[in-house]
Every structure is written in structure tokens, then in C-alpha cells.
Amino acid sequence: MTKLTIPAKSFRRFDDPRAQERSDGFPVKYRFYAPVDRVPEELLDWMETNPRDQNLNTDTAKIIRASLLDDETPSFHLWNRGILISAEKVTYDNRTGLADLFLDNRQLHGNIDGGHTLRIILDCQEQVKLGELPRMPRQYVEIEVITGLTSPEGLAEARNTSVAVDLKSMEELRRSFEVLKDILKDCVFDNGQRLLDHVEFRQNQMRAAKERNAKEDAGDGAVSANWVDVREIISILNMFNLALYSNKSLQGTQPIQSFSGKEVGLKKFLQAGQERDASDELCRETRETQLRQMAPIIPDIFLLWDHIERNFTGATSQINKRYGSRRYAKGANERGVKPKAMLSSQDLKYVVPKGIMYPVVGAFRALVRVDREGMYYWAAPPMEAWEDMKATLASFVMDTSDELANNPANIGRSSNLWSNLYSNMYVYALEHERGDA
């Protein structure tokens, strides 16, 4: 258990007014003012209960910093909303004026709201240590601590309203992606990069990581790896989820929505094919079962995506199509920096837009089979299928591109393209199973 000691002015305890009506325990709220130079930096180790990482470069963050550093107007504790913390317990010593906060469970205890305020204060403390600021301002910040919470999600969702918290951040706080994370650990690209290490599960997580990397690199010229929104990962997975998109015939619905609507795709993933009024528990159970059934093919899906992205332009050369002449075929910039593959961050000769990637990769759903235990497997090795079918697939894509004025958005929404690519892979899978391929 971690104990954090903070000087506390105007310490108050607020018991739950409905405590007598409850038999299962009740939350207790504590509020006090703390000098900003005594806010403990150890709180940065207790940020998992906050639904998003903090972006200190926004206008709002700059206003908070300016207010904090304005010694001539010592009203920061009145103008700022303060810092909200969940803790196991709180004690206060009237003689010393010190409050002790005890934090034990990282899923329940820590910063819930006011993360920007906390990080800005601690950033200023660091600047003082480095000599970049002469001293900390003589300001106070309001700290609110709640004990007795059994789950931080509802409070975090209610309090984090000044800047909207996106759905993925709230679901990360609800631990909705834990099974997915466990599966993604096994996905490693041929350059050694692990997919899980570069997936953004929380709002501003990518920006915060890039800022940390920039400080660590100290200008050594290293190029940081791409980060991928978890909604992109889920959109790709949805295409192969046979509970959402069947592959038993050529007449089924194509997963065009995976390309066109990432937020809708996340909701579809969370609902897991259940009715709208299904309980959260049922949806979670169904979703996690589906992921475990898909687990044998999930790493292959992302390795396949990366391989196709890095080799699609080569496939077009086999059919004498000049990929580099398309308006979306962006290559190295004026400094010679090449575009990067979305998942592995490896160099590309040309960008391959998602409007091409989604229908091409989505066609490989036709190769998926399910055994008697419900576990997924491939009817044919997907990499082998790509080598056998890449010229055919590239031909359909480039013809569609010509028809749609080389507009990637329209290519990705073309139901004819999705159907043609899928149909060819469907026939390939059947022939492979018969031994004709």
C-alpha cells in the first residue's frame, strides 16, 4: 500500500447523506487545499483510473499553466476544478495539518479527474529542479479524495466532461480490451516490432508517448514508430468475425463498415452481435468468447495486413499498372523520408490508402473456417493465398480505381470491389480445400 502525505488547508470530511440507507458500505468524500509545491510526484504512478492521457499542448492546458504561474493573482485554487483522487482511506492530523492518502489497488485508486492540472503542476516542479523556473508559484490547488468506491468508471465518466472523453477511453477504463491485449502480445512483425506496444487504447495516449520519446531521444534523429488507434485494430478484426459477417456463401454482407465507420465498428465489437437491450455482462462474455475463438488467426491477420501493405505496389507491376502515377501514391518527401507501414512502421515505396487495404484484406475472410470446438483456422495459408492471388486482386483494385477517379474513399466504399475480391478468394478457398489449387 502506498502512503502519500500532503499538507492540507481547510480539511473537510463529507459523509454520504444516505449512508444510513445503505448496508453495503458507502463512499466518503474529503476536500482540502494543498500548496502546489507539495503535490507528490508519486501520483503519476497512479493514473490508470483516469480514462485518458493528458495533452499539455492544448489551449486549455496552456490556460491552466498560465493561471498557475500567475503569482499576482493567487486564486488558482478558486478558478481551477482541482484534482480528484480515489483512495483506500484518508487520515488527517490536526496538529501537523498533514493528510495521509493510502492507495492500494491500481484499478480502483488513483487520479480520476484533473489529470491535466496534476501533470502541469508536476511539470512545473520538474522545471524548478532543472533551473528552468526560479521557484514554484505560491498557489494552492483543491484536492478531492473519495474512499469506498467499488468502481471508478461511472465517476470518471461523469467528471471528465469539460473535454469529451471518447468511447475507447471509457472502455479501456472498464477493462474491455484485456482479452484482446493478451492475444496481441503474440503479434510480432519481421522487424521485431510488437503490435501491442503501439496500440492507442486511451485518448491522447499516442501524443503522450511521442512526447516522452522525444525527451528520451533528446534530438538524436530517431524516427518513432507509428501508433495505431485500437478502433483501427478492431475494425480489421471485425472483418474476420464470422458472428458479425458470415462467409458461408457469396451473398453475405460485406464488412464495408469497417472502412467507413471506426466508432460504429467499436460499438459493433462491444455489442458482439447481441441485441441492443442485452446486458453489459452478456455482451462482454460473448465478445471475449469470440476473441478467444479467433485467437489462432488474429496474429496472422495483422501480419497479412502488413505484408500486403508493403507488397501491394509490387503486385500492380505484375499487371502492368503504374501505381506510382496515382494521386494517392505518395512516396518519399523532399527530405527523403519514406512513408511507413501502418502496423510495423517499415518503409514503403508508396502509401497504400486504407480504401485499398480494407477491401483487399477483408477478402481473406473467405479463407476462415471454424472447427467443432468453435476455434478459427485457415482453409489455406493466407500468405500463400496472397502470392497466388495478388495479381488478380490488384487488377480488380486498379480497375476500380480508374473507374472512380482514383479516389481512395470511393474505392473503399465500392460494394462491387468488395464483392469481386471476396468472390475470387471464396473460389480460391474452395479449390484449395478440394486440392485443385
Side-chain angles (χ1 to χ4, degrees), residues 65-96:
R65 183 182 294 271
S67 176
L68 173 65
L69 296 176
D70 185 6
D71 258 347
E72 295 183 4
T73 310
S75 302
F76 184 74
H77 60 291
L78 300 177
W79 293 349
N80 184 270
R81 291 200 316 178
I83 300 167
L84 174 61
I85 298 168
S86 167
E88 175 69 20
K89 67 176 182 177
V90 176
T91 61
Y92 178 68
D93 189 328
N94 286 314
R95 296 169 301 168
T96 62

PDB file of all heavy atoms in Angstrom, residues 65-96:
ATOM      1  N   ARG A  65      -1.788  26.405 -17.135  1.00  0.00           N
ATOM      2  CA  ARG A  65      -0.407  26.725 -16.766  1.00  0.00           C
ATOM      3  C   ARG A  65      -0.239  28.217 -16.474  1.00  0.00           C
ATOM      4  O   ARG A  65       0.408  28.602 -15.482  1.00  0.00           O
ATOM      5  CB  ARG A  65       0.546  26.298 -17.877  1.00  0.00           C
ATOM      6  CG  ARG A  65       2.023  26.515 -17.550  1.00  0.00           C
ATOM      7  CD  ARG A  65       2.908  26.114 -18.729  1.00  0.00           C
ATOM      8  NE  ARG A  65       2.842  24.692 -18.974  1.00  0.00           N
ATOM      9  CZ  ARG A  65       3.648  23.805 -18.383  1.00  0.00           C
ATOM     10  NH1 ARG A  65       4.577  24.209 -17.528  1.00  0.00           N
ATOM     11  NH2 ARG A  65       3.531  22.525 -18.657  1.00  0.00           N
ATOM     12  N   ALA A  66      -0.824  29.051 -17.319  1.00  0.00           N
ATOM     13  CA  ALA A  66      -0.712  30.496 -17.124  1.00  0.00           C
ATOM     14  C   ALA A  66      -1.343  30.922 -15.803  1.00  0.00           C
ATOM     15  O   ALA A  66      -0.797  31.765 -15.077  1.00  0.00           O
ATOM     16  CB  ALA A  66      -1.358  31.228 -18.298  1.00  0.00           C
ATOM     17  N   SER A  67      -2.484  30.335 -15.473  1.00  0.00           N
ATOM     18  CA  SER A  67      -3.149  30.654 -14.213  1.00  0.00           C
ATOM     19  C   SER A  67      -2.312  30.207 -13.026  1.00  0.00           C
ATOM     20  O   SER A  67      -2.189  30.921 -12.023  1.00  0.00           O
ATOM     21  CB  SER A  67      -4.525  29.985 -14.176  1.00  0.00           C
ATOM     22  OG  SER A  67      -5.156  30.195 -12.935  1.00  0.00           O
ATOM     23  N   LEU A  68      -1.695  29.034 -13.137  1.00  0.00           N
ATOM     24  CA  LEU A  68      -0.848  28.524 -12.060  1.00  0.00           C
ATOM     25  C   LEU A  68       0.347  29.431 -11.811  1.00  0.00           C
ATOM     26  O   LEU A  68       0.718  29.692 -10.659  1.00  0.00           O
ATOM     27  CB  LEU A  68      -0.372  27.114 -12.421  1.00  0.00           C
ATOM     28  CG  LEU A  68       0.661  26.465 -11.498  1.00  0.00           C
ATOM     29  CD1 LEU A  68       0.066  26.230 -10.115  1.00  0.00           C
ATOM     30  CD2 LEU A  68       1.170  25.155 -12.094  1.00  0.00           C
ATOM     31  N   LEU A  69       0.955  29.921 -12.883  1.00  0.00           N
ATOM     32  CA  LEU A  69       2.184  30.712 -12.756  1.00  0.00           C
ATOM     33  C   LEU A  69       1.930  32.193 -12.464  1.00  0.00           C
ATOM     34  O   LEU A  69       2.885  32.961 -12.297  1.00  0.00           O
ATOM     35  CB  LEU A  69       3.009  30.578 -14.042  1.00  0.00           C
ATOM     36  CG  LEU A  69       3.535  29.159 -14.342  1.00  0.00           C
ATOM     37  CD1 LEU A  69       4.256  29.143 -15.684  1.00  0.00           C
ATOM     38  CD2 LEU A  69       4.439  28.665 -13.231  1.00  0.00           C
ATOM     39  N   ASP A  70       0.664  32.590 -12.389  1.00  0.00           N
ATOM     40  CA  ASP A  70       0.319  33.997 -12.149  1.00  0.00           C
ATOM     41  C   ASP A  70       0.322  34.285 -10.654  1.00  0.00           C
ATOM     42  O   ASP A  70      -0.709  34.234  -9.982  1.00  0.00           O
ATOM     43  CB  ASP A  70      -1.048  34.304 -12.760  1.00  0.00           C
ATOM     44  CG  ASP A  70      -1.418  35.784 -12.646  1.00  0.00           C
ATOM     45  OD1 ASP A  70      -0.554  36.576 -12.187  1.00  0.00           O
ATOM     46  OD2 ASP A  70      -2.556  36.132 -12.997  1.00  0.00           O
ATOM     47  N   ASP A  71       1.497  34.616 -10.106  1.00  0.00           N
ATOM     48  CA  ASP A  71       1.627  34.876  -8.674  1.00  0.00           C
ATOM     49  C   ASP A  71       0.881  36.127  -8.242  1.00  0.00           C
ATOM     50  O   ASP A  71       0.512  36.280  -7.081  1.00  0.00           O
ATOM     51  CB  ASP A  71       3.110  35.012  -8.302  1.00  0.00           C
ATOM     52  CG  ASP A  71       3.636  33.743  -7.636  1.00  0.00           C
ATOM     53  OD1 ASP A  71       2.807  32.901  -7.264  1.00  0.00           O
ATOM     54  OD2 ASP A  71       4.864  33.601  -7.510  1.00  0.00           O
ATOM     55  N   GLU A  72       0.665  37.049  -9.170  1.00  0.00           N
ATOM     56  CA  GLU A  72      -0.013  38.298  -8.824  1.00  0.00           C
ATOM     57  C   GLU A  72      -1.505  38.092  -8.588  1.00  0.00           C
ATOM     58  O   GLU A  72      -2.167  38.957  -8.017  1.00  0.00           O
ATOM     59  CB  GLU A  72       0.211  39.334  -9.932  1.00  0.00           C
ATOM     60  CG  GLU A  72       1.669  39.747 -10.084  1.00  0.00           C
ATOM     61  CD  GLU A  72       1.834  40.819 -11.138  1.00  0.00           C
ATOM     62  OE1 GLU A  72       0.813  41.277 -11.682  1.00  0.00           O
ATOM     63  OE2 GLU A  72       2.986  41.198 -11.415  1.00  0.00           O
ATOM     64  N   THR A  73      -2.016  36.972  -9.044  1.00  0.00           N
ATOM     65  CA  THR A  73      -3.430  36.652  -8.830  1.00  0.00           C
ATOM     66  C   THR A  73      -3.490  35.282  -8.164  1.00  0.00           C
ATOM     67  O   THR A  73      -3.671  34.260  -8.836  1.00  0.00           O
ATOM     68  CB  THR A  73      -4.207  36.633 -10.165  1.00  0.00           C
ATOM     69  OG1 THR A  73      -3.919  37.825 -10.888  1.00  0.00           O
ATOM     70  CG2 THR A  73      -5.713  36.522  -9.922  1.00  0.00           C
ATOM     71  N   PRO A  74      -3.340  35.227  -6.850  1.00  0.00           N
ATOM     72  CA  PRO A  74      -3.243  33.939  -6.155  1.00  0.00           C
ATOM     73  C   PRO A  74      -4.614  33.272  -5.958  1.00  0.00           C
ATOM     74  O   PRO A  74      -5.049  33.051  -4.831  1.00  0.00           O
ATOM     75  CB  PRO A  74      -2.608  34.336  -4.826  1.00  0.00           C
ATOM     76  CG  PRO A  74      -3.097  35.721  -4.581  1.00  0.00           C
ATOM     77  CD  PRO A  74      -3.188  36.378  -5.934  1.00  0.00           C
ATOM     78  N   SER A  75      -5.275  32.993  -7.057  1.00  0.00           N
ATOM     79  CA  SER A  75      -6.631  32.441  -6.979  1.00  0.00           C
ATOM     80  C   SER A  75      -6.757  31.126  -7.741  1.00  0.00           C
ATOM     81  O   SER A  75      -7.855  30.722  -8.131  1.00  0.00           O
ATOM     82  CB  SER A  75      -7.640  33.452  -7.535  1.00  0.00           C
ATOM     83  OG  SER A  75      -7.588  34.675  -6.838  1.00  0.00           O
ATOM     84  N   PHE A  76      -5.639  30.453  -7.970  1.00  0.00           N
ATOM     85  CA  PHE A  76      -5.663  29.215  -8.737  1.00  0.00           C
ATOM     86  C   PHE A  76      -6.617  28.193  -8.105  1.00  0.00           C
ATOM     87  O   PHE A  76      -7.332  27.468  -8.799  1.00  0.00           O
ATOM     88  CB  PHE A  76      -4.247  28.630  -8.820  1.00  0.00           C
ATOM     89  CG  PHE A  76      -4.137  27.401  -9.678  1.00  0.00           C
ATOM     90  CD1 PHE A  76      -4.191  27.491 -11.060  1.00  0.00           C
ATOM     91  CD2 PHE A  76      -3.982  26.141  -9.105  1.00  0.00           C
ATOM     92  CE1 PHE A  76      -4.088  26.350 -11.867  1.00  0.00           C
ATOM     93  CE2 PHE A  76      -3.874  25.002  -9.891  1.00  0.00           C
ATOM     94  CZ  PHE A  76      -3.935  25.114 -11.282  1.00  0.00           C
ATOM     95  N   HIS A  77      -6.653  28.143  -6.768  1.00  0.00           N
ATOM     96  CA  HIS A  77      -7.495  27.173  -6.059  1.00  0.00           C
ATOM     97  C   HIS A  77      -8.982  27.456  -6.236  1.00  0.00           C
ATOM     98  O   HIS A  77      -9.813  26.579  -6.002  1.00  0.00           O
ATOM     99  CB  HIS A  77      -7.137  27.154  -4.574  1.00  0.00           C
ATOM    100  CG  HIS A  77      -7.331  28.463  -3.886  1.00  0.00           C
ATOM    101  ND1 HIS A  77      -6.527  29.555  -4.143  1.00  0.00           N
ATOM    102  CD2 HIS A  77      -8.239  28.870  -2.951  1.00  0.00           C
ATOM    103  CE1 HIS A  77      -6.923  30.578  -3.396  1.00  0.00           C
ATOM    104  NE2 HIS A  77      -7.955  30.187  -2.669  1.00  0.00           N
ATOM    105  N   LEU A  78      -9.314  28.670  -6.643  1.00  0.00           N
ATOM    106  CA  LEU A  78     -10.722  29.031  -6.861  1.00  0.00           C
ATOM    107  C   LEU A  78     -11.136  28.842  -8.312  1.00  0.00           C
ATOM    108  O   LEU A  78     -12.266  28.433  -8.599  1.00  0.00           O
ATOM    109  CB  LEU A  78     -10.959  30.485  -6.443  1.00  0.00           C
ATOM    110  CG  LEU A  78     -10.678  30.833  -4.976  1.00  0.00           C
ATOM    111  CD1 LEU A  78     -10.884  32.322  -4.749  1.00  0.00           C
ATOM    112  CD2 LEU A  78     -11.577  30.010  -4.053  1.00  0.00           C
ATOM    113  N   TRP A  79     -10.226  29.120  -9.240  1.00  0.00           N
ATOM    114  CA  TRP A  79     -10.575  29.081 -10.657  1.00  0.00           C
ATOM    115  C   TRP A  79     -10.438  27.678 -11.260  1.00  0.00           C
ATOM    116  O   TRP A  79     -11.132  27.332 -12.205  1.00  0.00           O
ATOM    117  CB  TRP A  79      -9.679  30.050 -11.438  1.00  0.00           C
ATOM    118  CG  TRP A  79      -9.934  31.492 -11.104  1.00  0.00           C
ATOM    119  CD1 TRP A  79     -10.966  31.997 -10.378  1.00  0.00           C
ATOM    120  CD2 TRP A  79      -9.132  32.610 -11.470  1.00  0.00           C
ATOM    121  NE1 TRP A  79     -10.874  33.355 -10.264  1.00  0.00           N
ATOM    122  CE2 TRP A  79      -9.748  33.771 -10.938  1.00  0.00           C
ATOM    123  CE3 TRP A  79      -7.954  32.764 -12.190  1.00  0.00           C
ATOM    124  CZ2 TRP A  79      -9.230  35.042 -11.114  1.00  0.00           C
ATOM    125  CZ3 TRP A  79      -7.437  34.033 -12.373  1.00  0.00           C
ATOM    126  CH2 TRP A  79      -8.071  35.160 -11.845  1.00  0.00           C
ATOM    127  N   ASN A  80      -9.531  26.906 -10.698  1.00  0.00           N
ATOM    128  CA  ASN A  80      -9.276  25.567 -11.248  1.00  0.00           C
ATOM    129  C   ASN A  80     -10.188  24.542 -10.583  1.00  0.00           C
ATOM    130  O   ASN A  80     -10.496  24.637  -9.392  1.00  0.00           O
ATOM    131  CB  ASN A  80      -7.805  25.196 -11.016  1.00  0.00           C
ATOM    132  CG  ASN A  80      -7.436  23.864 -11.639  1.00  0.00           C
ATOM    133  OD1 ASN A  80      -7.547  22.829 -11.017  1.00  0.00           O
ATOM    134  ND2 ASN A  80      -7.003  23.908 -12.888  1.00  0.00           N
ATOM    135  N   ARG A  81     -10.618  23.524 -11.349  1.00  0.00           N
ATOM    136  CA  ARG A  81     -11.524  22.499 -10.794  1.00  0.00           C
ATOM    137  C   ARG A  81     -10.829  21.571  -9.817  1.00  0.00           C
ATOM    138  O   ARG A  81     -11.474  20.841  -9.078  1.00  0.00           O
ATOM    139  CB  ARG A  81     -12.115  21.642 -11.925  1.00  0.00           C
ATOM    140  CG  ARG A  81     -13.080  22.386 -12.793  1.00  0.00           C
ATOM    141  CD  ARG A  81     -13.994  21.464 -13.548  1.00  0.00           C
ATOM    142  NE  ARG A  81     -13.326  20.312 -14.146  1.00  0.00           N
ATOM    143  CZ  ARG A  81     -13.974  19.371 -14.813  1.00  0.00           C
ATOM    144  NH1 ARG A  81     -15.275  19.442 -14.938  1.00  0.00           N
ATOM    145  NH2 ARG A  81     -13.323  18.355 -15.352  1.00  0.00           N
ATOM    146  N   GLY A  82      -9.515  21.549  -9.815  1.00  0.00           N
ATOM    147  CA  GLY A  82      -8.790  20.745  -8.854  1.00  0.00           C
ATOM    148  C   GLY A  82      -8.504  19.334  -9.332  1.00  0.00           C
ATOM    149  O   GLY A  82      -8.648  18.994 -10.505  1.00  0.00           O
ATOM    150  N   ILE A  83      -8.099  18.499  -8.399  1.00  0.00           N
ATOM    151  CA  ILE A  83      -7.656  17.124  -8.672  1.00  0.00           C
ATOM    152  C   ILE A  83      -8.542  16.166  -7.879  1.00  0.00           C
ATOM    153  O   ILE A  83      -8.713  16.336  -6.664  1.00  0.00           O
ATOM    154  CB  ILE A  83      -6.183  16.947  -8.274  1.00  0.00           C
ATOM    155  CG1 ILE A  83      -5.290  17.905  -9.073  1.00  0.00           C
ATOM    156  CG2 ILE A  83      -5.735  15.509  -8.469  1.00  0.00           C
ATOM    157  CD1 ILE A  83      -3.869  18.016  -8.523  1.00  0.00           C
ATOM    158  N   LEU A  84      -9.081  15.171  -8.549  1.00  0.00           N
ATOM    159  CA  LEU A  84      -9.929  14.167  -7.910  1.00  0.00           C
ATOM    160  C   LEU A  84      -9.176  12.841  -7.828  1.00  0.00           C
ATOM    161  O   LEU A  84      -8.646  12.365  -8.832  1.00  0.00           O
ATOM    162  CB  LEU A  84     -11.227  13.981  -8.696  1.00  0.00           C
ATOM    163  CG  LEU A  84     -12.156  12.852  -8.239  1.00  0.00           C
ATOM    164  CD1 LEU A  84     -12.623  13.068  -6.804  1.00  0.00           C
ATOM    165  CD2 LEU A  84     -13.347  12.727  -9.182  1.00  0.00           C
ATOM    166  N   ILE A  85      -9.153  12.264  -6.632  1.00  0.00           N
ATOM    167  CA  ILE A  85      -8.401  11.033  -6.380  1.00  0.00           C
ATOM    168  C   ILE A  85      -9.307  10.018  -5.683  1.00  0.00           C
ATOM    169  O   ILE A  85     -10.086  10.377  -4.793  1.00  0.00           O
ATOM    170  CB  ILE A  85      -7.165  11.317  -5.500  1.00  0.00           C
ATOM    171  CG1 ILE A  85      -6.213  12.285  -6.223  1.00  0.00           C
ATOM    172  CG2 ILE A  85      -6.442  10.029  -5.106  1.00  0.00           C
ATOM    173  CD1 ILE A  85      -5.127  12.846  -5.317  1.00  0.00           C
ATOM    174  N   SER A  86      -9.204   8.771  -6.090  1.00  0.00           N
ATOM    175  CA  SER A  86      -9.836   7.664  -5.372  1.00  0.00           C
ATOM    176  C   SER A  86      -8.775   7.005  -4.498  1.00  0.00           C
ATOM    177  O   SER A  86      -7.655   6.770  -4.960  1.00  0.00           O
ATOM    178  CB  SER A  86     -10.419   6.652  -6.368  1.00  0.00           C
ATOM    179  OG  SER A  86     -10.769   5.445  -5.713  1.00  0.00           O
ATOM    180  N   ALA A  87      -9.115   6.728  -3.244  1.00  0.00           N
ATOM    181  CA  ALA A  87      -8.133   6.159  -2.320  1.00  0.00           C
ATOM    182  C   ALA A  87      -8.783   5.087  -1.448  1.00  0.00           C
ATOM    183  O   ALA A  87     -10.010   5.002  -1.335  1.00  0.00           O
ATOM    184  CB  ALA A  87      -7.528   7.253  -1.441  1.00  0.00           C
ATOM    185  N   GLU A  88      -7.939   4.262  -0.826  1.00  0.00           N
ATOM    186  CA  GLU A  88      -8.413   3.246   0.111  1.00  0.00           C
ATOM    187  C   GLU A  88      -8.907   3.900   1.396  1.00  0.00           C
ATOM    188  O   GLU A  88      -9.970   3.587   1.923  1.00  0.00           O
ATOM    189  CB  GLU A  88      -7.294   2.253   0.412  1.00  0.00           C
ATOM    190  CG  GLU A  88      -7.625   1.216   1.463  1.00  0.00           C
ATOM    191  CD  GLU A  88      -8.669   0.215   0.985  1.00  0.00           C
ATOM    192  OE1 GLU A  88      -8.853   0.075  -0.238  1.00  0.00           O
ATOM    193  OE2 GLU A  88      -9.301  -0.417   1.858  1.00  0.00           O
ATOM    194  N   LYS A  89      -8.095   4.838   1.920  1.00  0.00           N
ATOM    195  CA  LYS A  89      -8.510   5.581   3.120  1.00  0.00           C
ATOM    196  C   LYS A  89      -7.724   6.883   3.206  1.00  0.00           C
ATOM    197  O   LYS A  89      -6.706   7.070   2.525  1.00  0.00           O
ATOM    198  CB  LYS A  89      -8.309   4.752   4.383  1.00  0.00           C
ATOM    199  CG  LYS A  89      -6.859   4.469   4.734  1.00  0.00           C
ATOM    200  CD  LYS A  89      -6.780   3.720   6.068  1.00  0.00           C
ATOM    201  CE  LYS A  89      -5.312   3.462   6.454  1.00  0.00           C
ATOM    202  NZ  LYS A  89      -5.205   2.791   7.778  1.00  0.00           N
ATOM    203  N   VAL A  90      -8.213   7.790   4.063  1.00  0.00           N
ATOM    204  CA  VAL A  90      -7.576   9.087   4.287  1.00  0.00           C
ATOM    205  C   VAL A  90      -7.545   9.341   5.789  1.00  0.00           C
ATOM    206  O   VAL A  90      -8.536   9.103   6.488  1.00  0.00           O
ATOM    207  CB  VAL A  90      -8.352  10.230   3.590  1.00  0.00           C
ATOM    208  CG1 VAL A  90      -7.725  11.578   3.918  1.00  0.00           C
ATOM    209  CG2 VAL A  90      -8.393  10.016   2.085  1.00  0.00           C
ATOM    210  N   THR A  91      -6.421   9.806   6.282  1.00  0.00           N
ATOM    211  CA  THR A  91      -6.333  10.243   7.678  1.00  0.00           C
ATOM    212  C   THR A  91      -5.804  11.670   7.710  1.00  0.00           C
ATOM    213  O   THR A  91      -5.094  12.106   6.793  1.00  0.00           O
ATOM    214  CB  THR A  91      -5.415   9.330   8.505  1.00  0.00           C
ATOM    215  OG1 THR A  91      -4.083   9.373   7.962  1.00  0.00           O
ATOM    216  CG2 THR A  91      -5.918   7.890   8.487  1.00  0.00           C
ATOM    217  N   TYR A  92      -6.163  12.394   8.780  1.00  0.00           N
ATOM    218  CA  TYR A  92      -5.725  13.798   8.912  1.00  0.00           C
ATOM    219  C   TYR A  92      -5.275  14.044  10.346  1.00  0.00           C
ATOM    220  O   TYR A  92      -5.960  13.672  11.303  1.00  0.00           O
ATOM    221  CB  TYR A  92      -6.862  14.734   8.539  1.00  0.00           C
ATOM    222  CG  TYR A  92      -6.515  16.194   8.699  1.00  0.00           C
ATOM    223  CD1 TYR A  92      -5.572  16.805   7.866  1.00  0.00           C
ATOM    224  CD2 TYR A  92      -7.113  16.961   9.695  1.00  0.00           C
ATOM    225  CE1 TYR A  92      -5.242  18.140   8.018  1.00  0.00           C
ATOM    226  CE2 TYR A  92      -6.797  18.301   9.842  1.00  0.00           C
ATOM    227  CZ  TYR A  92      -5.854  18.884   9.013  1.00  0.00           C
ATOM    228  OH  TYR A  92      -5.528  20.217   9.162  1.00  0.00           O
ATOM    229  N   ASP A  93      -4.123  14.690  10.488  1.00  0.00           N
ATOM    230  CA  ASP A  93      -3.565  15.033  11.794  1.00  0.00           C
ATOM    231  C   ASP A  93      -3.772  16.522  12.030  1.00  0.00           C
ATOM    232  O   ASP A  93      -3.161  17.365  11.345  1.00  0.00           O
ATOM    233  CB  ASP A  93      -2.070  14.678  11.831  1.00  0.00           C
ATOM    234  CG  ASP A  93      -1.479  14.797  13.227  1.00  0.00           C
ATOM    235  OD1 ASP A  93      -1.935  15.661  13.993  1.00  0.00           O
ATOM    236  OD2 ASP A  93      -0.553  14.016  13.543  1.00  0.00           O
ATOM    237  N   ASN A  94      -4.639  16.852  13.003  1.00  0.00           N
ATOM    238  CA  ASN A  94      -4.932  18.254  13.286  1.00  0.00           C
ATOM    239  C   ASN A  94      -3.703  19.019  13.772  1.00  0.00           C
ATOM    240  O   ASN A  94      -3.584  20.227  13.548  1.00  0.00           O
ATOM    241  CB  ASN A  94      -6.030  18.357  14.361  1.00  0.00           C
ATOM    242  CG  ASN A  94      -7.397  18.015  13.805  1.00  0.00           C
ATOM    243  OD1 ASN A  94      -7.773  18.492  12.739  1.00  0.00           O
ATOM    244  ND2 ASN A  94      -8.142  17.188  14.531  1.00  0.00           N
ATOM    245  N   ARG A  95      -2.788  18.324  14.423  1.00  0.00           N
ATOM    246  CA  ARG A  95      -1.613  19.011  14.990  1.00  0.00           C
ATOM    247  C   ARG A  95      -0.627  19.429  13.904  1.00  0.00           C
ATOM    248  O   ARG A  95      -0.078  20.527  13.937  1.00  0.00           O
ATOM    249  CB  ARG A  95      -0.920  18.112  16.005  1.00  0.00           C
ATOM    250  CG  ARG A  95      -1.762  17.776  17.244  1.00  0.00           C
ATOM    251  CD  ARG A  95      -1.115  16.674  18.054  1.00  0.00           C
ATOM    252  NE  ARG A  95      -0.950  15.466  17.249  1.00  0.00           N
ATOM    253  CZ  ARG A  95      -0.221  14.429  17.623  1.00  0.00           C
ATOM    254  NH1 ARG A  95       0.450  14.459  18.767  1.00  0.00           N
ATOM    255  NH2 ARG A  95      -0.128  13.366  16.846  1.00  0.00           N
ATOM    256  N   THR A  96      -0.405  18.539  12.949  1.00  0.00           N
ATOM    257  CA  THR A  96       0.593  18.826  11.909  1.00  0.00           C
ATOM    258  C   THR A  96      -0.030  19.420  10.651  1.00  0.00           C
ATOM    259  O   THR A  96       0.680  19.988   9.818  1.00  0.00           O
ATOM    260  CB  THR A  96       1.335  17.539  11.519  1.00  0.00           C
ATOM    261  OG1 THR A  96       0.391  16.603  10.978  1.00  0.00           O
ATOM    262  CG2 THR A  96       2.019  16.918  12.732  1.00  0.00           C
TER     263      THR A  96
END
